[in-house]
Amino acid sequence: MTRVHQLSGAAGSTALDAMYAAYYASIAQADESRDGTVRHRLRPEVGDGTIEVTSLRSGFHIVRYDVAFAGGHQVGYTFPGDHFELEHCVDGRMHIRDANAGAGDLQARSVSLSPRCATEGVVAHGDGERYRAVSITGSWTGLESYLGGLGAGALPAIGPEKVARERYLGRSVALRPVAGPLEEIFLHRRLSPGRLLFMESRLVAALAALIDGLSVTTPPADDRDRALDDHEVAALRRVPELLWRERHAPPTLADLARASSMSVRRLATGFRALYGTSVMDYHRRRCLDRAAALLVETDWPVARIGHEVGYASPSNFGYAFRRDRGTTPARFRRAHS
């Protein structure tokens, strides 16, 4: 049976804080760490996983989700126009149904930005579906004050309503650079004196990427997709899973084009229109992101992880990982363990 909960109120208000506290208490048991992070462990009858909430000195909250709800889960929300939320889905998906923005799924590697207007709707998780994500919450007013204190100046204009809807539903390619700093927060597990400072630094990096993204005037995803028919869009959306499934012997672009019933050029340009990057860059990033997660979440040897994500030799994996993350797999594991 799907559980339904309700949240409403202004960010930072006593009423909303009380609603969140009641919500967490109804689904989880809480443990607080030395730095003030509260880890909510889902009750067995609710599901499996944790929701971690860290309050920063800047006034923002960082919420890290790693959950799978038994029987499904729904949260209704009613927020005023000053409510700010920036969320990156690391893995899995969350369905959004909003009265103004419409409906869509926040999927892996996508970023959602709340519009600067009142919102009302429901977010939902399917039965047993794992959802991993990081969210920054606060207020737009607080964000402007924070950026002003950093000397960043005013936020760029949010843009037309249609563009704001696309950003809210996770369809804006321009916001994808925000994912990097937020994913670092998700992967960071080490309890240390500098942990809050690390999170604050990643918050600043994410906001810098957000400002850059808001400054880019790209057409919304459905405009870019307009030249693609429904069959082509469906075929292109199967490409990432095909690459992952065959990662130990990756198909060429020609192989993918044949499997998708389109030309190589059509595949390449269509994929870039949908995902904002090339086919192989997308696949490489997915493999290395998965490797980073395995380095933190498992005690597997580095060589095994490299093979798991498709690299034929440990040296090739080490070179690719170091080039992407700026450090070796072993050092990355130590820094995030």
Side-chain angles (χ1 to χ4, degrees), residues 40 46 54 62 81 106 152 155 180 250 259 266 275 296:
H40 303 276
V46 175
T54 303
I62 291 180
L106 183 62
L155 275 170
R266 184 67 167 170
Y275 293 97
V296 174

Side-chain angles (χ1 to χ4, degrees), residues 53-108:
V53 183
T54 303
S55 299
L56 301 181
R57 289 185 176 273
S58 55
F60 294 96
H61 299 289
I62 291 180
V63 186
R64 185 163 56 187
Y65 301 91
D66 188 350
V67 293
F69 292 102
H73 193 77
Q74 291 187 9
V75 178
Y77 60 86
T78 305
F79 295 135
D82 198 39
H83 181 82
F84 170 81
E85 187 161 3
L86 183 65
E87 185 157 339
H88 165 50
C89 174
V90 177
D91 189 29
R93 67 171 183 163
M94 177 178 69
H95 185 69
I96 302 172
R97 187 171 68 252
D98 187 83
N100 295 316
D105 288 332
L106 183 62
Q107 299 180 339

Side-chain angles (χ1 to χ4, degrees), residues 50-283:
T50 59
I51 302 173
E52 295 183 6
V53 183
T54 303
S55 299
L56 301 181
R57 289 185 176 273
S58 55
F60 294 96
H61 299 289
I62 291 180
V63 186
R64 185 163 56 187
Y65 301 91
D66 188 350
V67 293
F69 292 102
H73 193 77
Q74 291 187 9
V75 178
Y77 60 86
T78 305
F79 295 135
D82 198 39
H83 181 82
F84 170 81
E85 187 161 3
L86 183 65
E87 185 157 339
H88 165 50
C89 174
V90 177
D91 189 29
R93 67 171 183 163
M94 177 178 69
H95 185 69
I96 302 172
R97 187 171 68 252
D98 187 83
N100 295 316
D105 288 332
L106 183 62
Q107 299 180 339
R109 297 201 51 74
S110 57
V111 175
S112 169
L113 173 66
S114 59
R116 198 163 188 176
C117 63
T119 55
E120 181 177 359
V122 175
V123 295
H125 302 272
D127 180 14
E129 291 182 348
R130 177 66 60 177
Y131 182 66
R132 295 183 172 95
V134 175
S135 175
I136 297 173
T137 63
S139 68
W140 283 98
T141 303
L143 175 62
E144 289 181 329
S145 176
Y146 182 64
L147 293 175
L150 295 174
L155 275 170
I158 300 303
E161 182 180 342
K162 186 175 184 179
V163 175
R165 287 200 304 268
E166 295 298 317
R167 289 173 179 152
Y168 188 41
L169 297 176
R171 297 172 182 165
S172 173
V173 174
L175 294 187
R176 287 184 183 167
V178 176
L182 294 185
E183 194 154 322
E184 289 186 64
I185 291 175
F186 181 84
L187 293 172
H188 191 77
R189 293 289 192 270
R190 184 174 59 177
L191 292 176
S192 67
R195 184 168 182 264
L196 289 181
L197 184 60
F198 170 83
M199 288 193 171
E200 199 84 53
S201 73
R202 296 302 83 203
L203 167 65
V204 172
L207 294 179
L210 173 62
I211 291 173
D212 289 343
L214 292 177
S215 303
V216 174
T217 54
T218 55
D222 56 355
D223 285 345
R224 288 192 306 273
D225 296 349
R226 193 161 291 152
L228 298 167
D229 62 36
D230 291 344
H231 170 77
E232 289 173 320
V233 171
L236 288 167
R237 294 200 186 282
R238 289 193 293 267
V239 167
E241 290 309 313
L242 178 60
L243 279 167
W244 179 252
R245 193 166 60 245
E246 303 296 333
R247 61 191 179 277
H248 296 294
T252 64
L253 283 180
D255 294 332
L256 293 170
R258 280 192 295 272
S260 304
S261 300
M262 61 181 70
S263 69
V264 171
R265 179 180 177 82
R266 184 67 167 170
L267 174 84
T269 57
F271 191 93
R272 185 175 290 276
L274 280 177
Y275 293 97
T277 188
S278 71
V279 175
M280 293 309 171
D281 278 351
Y282 182 98
H283 179 61

